[in-house]
Amino acid sequence: MSVSASGHDLSPLDSAERERLAAGLSPEERRVLLDHGTERPFCGGLLDNKQGGTYQCRLCALPLFKSDHKFDSGTGWPSFFAPFDAEHVREIRDQSHGMIRIEIRCARCDSHLGHVFPDGPRPTGLRYCLNSIAMEFVSS
């Protein structure tokens, strides 16, 4: 079993478990999480959330981001300057749509979350730009 520094199981899901979890997703959730889609800007339900808590993967519930790392980037998607635990978010070079970006995926279930850009605030200078539909919010 692979465990992150914050104590969460990062063992990859087998295909049967991933499909079991995906069976409960809406068509739009499947399009974003499994087919690497993007929700329209300024439409996501978590964009304006100001409550304290944790944002977790909609598919496997791995904690991804903390509310105190969230900021208003003005881009139309929830944005964070750091993940809950760096081991919980996997980065992949994305050359789709005629540009080079860094896609971010859940480290446990490999669901598409969004992208990370080098134009965020201090202290990291990073902007993790997430699809609201890829996450669930758990208040603290």
Side-chain angles (χ1 to χ4, degrees):
M1 177 166 87
S2 174
V3 178
S4 69
S6 59
H8 293 86
D9 182 4
L10 296 179
S11 302
L13 302 182
D14 64 32
S15 58
E17 178 65 6
R18 192 164 193 256
E19 277 307 309
R20 185 188 70 74
L21 293 171
L25 297 176
S26 72
E28 181 66 2
E29 290 167 341
R30 290 184 76 85
R31 185 185 73 78
V32 171
L33 289 162
L34 306 180
D35 300 330
H36 308 275
T38 299
E39 66 189 357
R40 294 180 316 164
F42 301 102
C43 294
L46 297 175
L47 177 62
D48 296 321
N49 183 28
K50 307 274 193 252
Q51 295 178 319
T54 305
Y55 295 82
Q56 63 187 28
C57 177
R58 180 169 303 281
L59 189 66
C60 75
L62 183 69
L64 300 171
F65 296 92
K66 297 177 186 178
S67 59
D68 57 351
H69 293 165
K70 190 176 186 214
F71 69 98
D72 183 359
S73 65
T75 62
W77 291 279
S79 297
F80 304 84
F81 62 80
F84 179 92
D85 181 316
E87 293 177 279
H88 292 199
V89 178
R90 197 163 61 101
E91 298 183 2
I92 297 172
R93 185 180 169 101
D94 177 1
Q95 297 179 345
S96 65
H97 305 292
M99 60 185 116
I100 297 174
R101 303 176 292 175
I102 303 298
E103 177 187 6
I104 53 175
R105 295 186 190 176
C106 175
R108 179 166 48 204
C109 71
D110 202 39
S111 290
H112 172 72
L113 305 171
H115 291 84
V116 62
F117 301 96
D119 60 1
R122 290 178 169 219
T124 65
L126 298 174
R127 174 174 53 95
Y128 290 85
C129 190
L130 281 287
N131 290 289
S132 286
I133 205 166
M135 300 180 291
E136 286 186 336
F137 178 74
V138 178
S139 62
S140 50

